[in-house]
């Protein structure tokens, strides 16, 4: 399977069957914390990056090969921005015809200012957009967006979507130490959230390798401050533990590439995830994939993570990126 993966454990969505409708890394943002490497180049073009029938054929295959109870949610979550796939609405509707399982869409929310995107996402049971900043300057610093997707459009889109959308709107706030975990930054985010009125706010922190070397998760104090300022509907989401279902992978190489393309992991975590194989086999496969240019080691937080090799991670703060904040 190329476009469908898992189910994988998710703190919010239980065992989640993932649908990845865009190639790595098709995005209109270039977030400093992105675990998928830098966005080169930024794109805001909506098109059928992957033929929609091929995606739905894989979803059908995955749904029929699992027993009831093995999947809790079907989640559109891209190796980039999901709403850039021009058939996102068609995909959601098709999934809902195939299964009664709830459908979630993880999106950066930047295109919700467009009425057609709001309408396309409306059949989903939950939509999880991002809001990491409460002003345009910090938005540009953290999310480094395509010029067409401004902060004003982001907030206006979220407000308009909330008014029309009947499903669960769970806004994600990714905290980056020293950038948006300060009292001022959090109060501005809280003000924007007040105008949006989401059902829940999910506070996240970078745990997988952030693209920029200087990005750090908030400390305990920053998390407590965020909980206090973002209010009762905010909760801290910690990464889920549990097993990745790899039955869709045809070989160990497929399984490793499938995981590290979407979830870069340290070697111990990969060995645990791939426990049906011996640790020696997993290590040898990683070395082989590195030699042939399909995997790479990314060093962050003093740890070596394995990631897919086309992803671009600078080795040093600011490499190729003048004007970074540290
Ligand atoms: S975190 Fe999401 S929105 Fe940000 S650059 Fe990565 S894929 Fe795009």
């Amino acid at each position: 399977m190329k476009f469908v993966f898992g189910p994988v454990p998710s703190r919010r969505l239980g065992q989640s069957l993932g649908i990845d409708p865009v190639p790595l890394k098709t995005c209109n943002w270039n977030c400093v914390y992105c675990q998928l490497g830098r966005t080169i180049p930024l794109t805001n073009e909506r098109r059928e990056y992957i033929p929609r029938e091929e995606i739905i054929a894989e979803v059908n295959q995955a749904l029929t090969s699992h027993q009831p109870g093995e999947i809790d949610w079907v989640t559109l979550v891209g190796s980039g921005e999901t709403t850039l796939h021009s058939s996102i609405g068609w995909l959601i509707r098709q999934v809902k015809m195939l299964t009664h399982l709830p459908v979630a869409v993880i999106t950066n929310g930047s295109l919700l200012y467009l009425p057609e995107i709001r309408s396309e996402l409306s059949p989903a049971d939950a939509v999880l957009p991002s809001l990491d900043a409460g002003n345009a300057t910090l938005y540009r610093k953290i999310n480094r967006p395509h010029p067409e997707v401004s902060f004003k459009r982001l907030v206006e889109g979220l407000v308009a979507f909330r008014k029309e959308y009947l499903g669960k709107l769970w806004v994600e706030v990714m905290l980056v130490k020293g950038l948006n975990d300060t009292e001022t930054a959090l109060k501005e985010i809280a003000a924007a959230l007040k105008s949006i009125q989401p059902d829940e706010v999910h506070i996240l922190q970078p745990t997988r390798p952030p693209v920029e070397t200087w990005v750090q998760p908030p400390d305990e104090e920053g998390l407590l401050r965020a909980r206090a300022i973002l209010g009762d509907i905010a909760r801290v989401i910690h990464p889920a533990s549990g097993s990745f279902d790899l039955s869709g992978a045809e070989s160990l190489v497929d399984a490793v590439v499938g995981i590290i393309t979407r979830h870069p992991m340290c070697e111990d975590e990969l060995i645990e995830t791939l426990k049906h194989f011996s640790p020696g086999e997993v290590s040898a496969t990683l070395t082989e994939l590195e030699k042939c240019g399909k995997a790479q080691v990314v060093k962050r937080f003093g740890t070596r993570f394995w990631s897919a090799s086309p992803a671009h991670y600078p080795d040093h703060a600011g490499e190729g990126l003048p004007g970074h904040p540290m």
Side-chain angles (χ1 to χ4, degrees), residues 25 27 29-31 33-34 36 39 79-81 108:
K25 172 191 167 180
C27 200
W29 284 7
N30 180 24
C31 304
Y33 55 75
C34 187
L36 303 173
T39 312
S79 297
E81 171 48 29
N108 62 23

Side-chain angles (χ1 to χ4, degrees), residues 1-314:
M1 295 231 187
K2 288 191 284 192
F3 318 118
V4 173
F5 59 96
V8 298
S10 159
R11 193 60 69 154
R12 293 156 302 166
L13 305 167
Q15 284 297 113
S16 166
L17 184 73
I19 305 174
D20 185 354
V22 292
L24 184 83
K25 172 191 167 180
T26 308
C27 200
N28 53 9
W29 284 7
N30 180 24
C31 304
V32 294
Y33 55 75
C34 187
Q35 63 181 25
L36 303 173
R38 283 202 185 142
T39 312
I40 304 174
L42 278 175
T43 181
N44 198 34
E45 187 190 1
R46 293 197 74 211
R47 64 181 168 88
E48 197 163 320
Y49 288 95
I50 295 163
R52 60 190 197 174
E53 279 80 11
E54 284 186 34
I55 299 175
I56 281 299
E58 284 196 5
V59 176
N60 195 18
Q61 194 188 330
L63 288 170
T64 49
S65 62
H66 284 89
Q67 300 298 319
E70 287 179 355
I71 301 172
D72 299 311
W73 282 79
V74 179
T75 308
L76 283 123
V77 49
S79 297
E81 171 48 29
T82 47
T83 61
L84 288 175
H85 196 290
S86 51
S87 287
I88 185 102
W90 183 89
L91 288 168
I92 296 168
R93 291 195 305 279
Q94 291 294 310
V95 173
K96 293 204 75 81
M97 281 196 264
L98 290 174
T99 177
H100 294 302
L101 290 168
V103 176
V105 180
I106 297 187
T107 166
N108 62 23
S110 60
L111 295 180
L112 286 170
Y113 76 94
L114 298 168
E116 63 269 27
I117 300 280
R118 299 200 293 274
S119 148
E120 285 176 48
L121 296 194
S122 64
D125 298 277
V127 173
L128 291 78
S130 295
L131 184 75
D132 303 323
N135 68 58
T137 307
L138 195 52
Y139 167 65
R140 283 196 298 271
K141 207 177 246 185
I142 297 177
N143 304 114
R144 303 185 299 195
H146 188 283
E148 285 166 18
V149 287
S150 64
F151 179 69
K152 188 167 175 282
R153 283 182 162 174
L154 173 67
V155 176
E156 282 176 2
L158 287 165
V159 170
F161 186 57
R162 166 71 301 175
K163 286 190 182 137
E164 298 164 14
Y165 180 57
L166 301 175
K168 302 284 181 209
L169 183 63
W170 296 335
V171 172
E172 297 186 340
V173 180
M174 178 69 85
L175 287 187
V176 178
K177 189 175 183 179
L179 282 184
N180 60 355
D181 66 343
T182 63
E183 189 177 334
T184 310
L186 287 164
K187 282 186 172 163
E188 286 176 333
I189 296 172
L193 288 169
K194 203 170 169 200
S195 65
I196 297 163
Q197 296 284 310
D199 296 294
E200 290 180 18
V201 175
H202 295 166
I203 301 167
L204 310 179
Q205 41 188 329
T207 49
R208 304 224 175 260
V211 62
E212 303 304 339
T213 52
W214 47 265
V215 167
Q216 291 291 330
D219 53 24
E220 200 51 39
E221 211 181 304
L223 283 176
L224 287 174
R225 193 163 41 240
R227 279 282 323 274
I229 295 175
L230 300 183
D232 291 344
I233 55 169
R235 61 190 174 105
V236 176
I237 306 291
H238 295 284
S241 55
S243 62
F244 281 57
D245 184 319
L246 300 167
S247 53
E250 280 165 20
S251 64
L252 178 56
V253 168
D254 268 8
V256 171
V257 172
I259 292 173
I260 65 175
T261 301
R262 299 171 182 113
H263 301 89
M265 279 186 184
C266 60
E267 194 157 329
D268 286 353
E269 200 184 353
L270 259 176
I271 288 170
E272 175 60 26
T273 302
L274 296 162
K275 56 183 171 221
H276 296 310
F277 301 91
S278 74
E281 274 179 289
V282 176
S283 297
T285 303
L286 286 168
T287 309
E288 204 44 50
L289 285 170
E290 189 181 21
K291 261 197 224 151
C292 67
K294 288 189 176 164
Q296 63 180 322
V297 171
V298 181
K299 293 181 194 146
R300 294 290 186 273
F301 312 142
T303 300
R304 284 160 48 91
F305 291 90
W306 283 94
S307 165
S309 175
H312 181 76
Y313 297 85

